[in-house]
Amino acid sequence: MPDPIPDTPDIPQTADPGAASLDAFARGTLADLDARALRRRLVETARGPGPAARRGEHALISFSCNDYLGLSDDPRVIAAGQEALARYGAGAGASRLVTGNHPVLSALEARLAAHKGKAAALVFGSGYMANLGIVPALAGAKDLILIDALGHSCLFAGAQVSGATMLRFRHNDIDHLRDLLSARRARHARALILTERVFSMDGDRAPLAAILGLAAEYDAWTLVDDAHGLGVVEAGARAPLEMGTLSKTLGSYGGYLCASQAVIDLMTSRARSFVYTTGLPPASAAAALRALEIVEAEPERAARPLALARRFTARLGLAQAQSPIVPVLVGGAPEALALSAALEARGFLVVAIRPPTVPAGTARLRVAFSAAHTEDQVDALAQALIDLGAGQAGR
Ligand SMILES: *Cc1c(COP(=O)(O)O)cnc(C)c1O
């Protein structure tokens, strides 16, 4: 019999090798973030029913959720998730290439592909993980990635992991994108353009038809991150690579890519964030599948968030909303936090978005509308912002 492994004696926290300099680093960095009003803190929030939210003693109406159609607490979506949970268990048990490929995932993929008009789809653990896997599976050191300057963090992360040459083009600036392609394309084997259908922090839309035209001209591949479009802003051109999330309009959790069969087959073998991670829990997939069926069956529900956003921008004299997301630009991070706190005191949850999520000097309130909001709730928020003197400086 082998010797038992001796118990490790209890070591006091302070004696962890290297702990002193590690904690000094953490504390120093936090102090710096505090000084710039950029430190982030978790706030316990109970959501529901509908757009209601509770933070401590505060009962609030939330305008900070991405649950655009109110499907995360729809009884039909909950029932689908519960049934799958009871029948199939809590977790997938393994990666999808081993035994974690539950049939409900295939059913969801077929529905997503049909929804997007693509031959195939692949579900990932989250939207963030999808981009971390998709981009490096398509581009490497000899290649060029062009990315909208306001693209989501996970698009930049995927580009960095790929090792490709990464250039940002000015937000939605098709002339800048053309200049970069014409100057740099010939030096690289493959080129990939990364953008979003609806920009997550600005709510505006990419000029996709023009981007796809340039892509054809320069033989580049276009990936559109549709995290905030699916189910709410779907009109317009489709890119060859359409990725998104199950966690916003579909009210569940997970990510996906819709593309040709060949591309999906390639991802199944080569996207590391797909191959080396556990499959999505079947209950999450079942809930998302039911939500997607509701999106398709109830177009009047899907139209409502944008209509409410436009009601709000009209009231505040802002440019007409292009999506359910409306930024109310403030500028400085402390001012954005103060405005958010003033709204919270009036019963509204509208979270301040600060750098580095958005560029320096563009701290803002990000207002997100849901089919579950009432007209009265929207009007009351607009009035509160007018009373607080905010909004007019936005766009
Ligand atoms: C939320 C979001 C993601 C990440 O999706 P998750 O499923 O939450 O990881 C990716 N891209 C954009 C634009 C997003 O807004």
Side-chain angles (χ1 to χ4, degrees), residues 40-271:
R40 296 168 185 235
R41 291 174 196 278
L42 290 167
V43 182
E44 286 183 2
T45 308
R47 293 180 55 238
R54 179 166 282 279
R55 284 189 157 181
E57 293 304 299
H58 289 259
L60 303 165
I61 299 298
S62 172
F63 287 89
S64 285
C65 301
N66 300 317
D67 186 15
Y68 299 114
L69 299 184
L71 292 175
S72 76
D73 70 348
D74 185 285
R76 297 164 291 180
V77 175
I78 293 171
Q82 280 175 330
E83 196 196 330
L85 189 63
R87 281 176 66 178
Y88 310 129
S95 78
R96 289 187 56 191
L97 289 167
V98 182
T99 58
N101 190 35
H102 196 278
V104 73
L105 290 165
S106 314
L108 173 61
E109 286 168 347
R111 190 88 187 203
L112 283 165
H115 186 82
K116 288 284 188 182
K118 299 288 181 198
L122 194 65
V123 165
F124 289 75
S126 72
Y128 200 107
M129 283 173 62
N131 278 334
L132 264 186
I134 295 164
V135 177
L138 296 173
K142 296 197 177 98
D143 305 322
L144 177 65
I145 294 180
L146 299 138
I147 174 164
D148 187 287
L150 295 188
H152 192 268
S153 163
C154 60
L155 292 169
F156 283 94
Q160 270 159 3
V161 168
S162 78
T165 299
M166 182 174 89
L167 304 174
R168 332 173 165 222
F169 57 95
R170 286 189 295 272
H171 175 54
N172 280 350
D173 187 335
I174 201 77
D175 294 325
H176 191 209
L177 177 59
R178 180 185 297 104
D179 290 348
L180 292 173
L181 278 166
S182 96
R184 304 292 291 273
R185 175 67 185 97
R187 292 188 232 166
H188 297 275
R190 301 187 287 261
L192 188 56
I193 300 169
L194 309 180
T195 189
E196 300 182 17
R197 174 160 286 106
V198 171
F199 281 84
S200 58
M201 297 298 142
D202 292 73
D204 56 345
R205 304 187 199 178
L208 261 190
I211 289 174
L212 291 167
L214 279 182
E217 200 178 318
Y218 288 94
D219 186 25
W221 307 329
T222 305
L223 178 146
V224 167
D225 183 330
D226 198 28
H228 299 275
L230 180 75
V232 281
V233 176
E234 300 226 59
R238 289 268 197 267
L241 300 156
E242 290 267 344
M243 68 74 57
T245 177
L246 311 177
S247 66
K248 288 169 180 155
T249 291
L250 298 184
S252 180
Y253 196 74
Y256 68 85
L257 172 67
C258 295
S260 69
Q261 188 67 56
V263 167
I264 294 301
D265 289 347
L266 175 67
M267 293 298 155
T268 306
S269 286
R270 296 297 291 276

Side-chain angles (χ1 to χ4, degrees), residues 289-303:
L289 176 56
R290 189 72 188 93
L292 185 55
E293 288 166 4
I294 294 170
V295 166
E296 292 178 351
E298 299 180 4
E300 64 295 344
R301 177 193 289 264

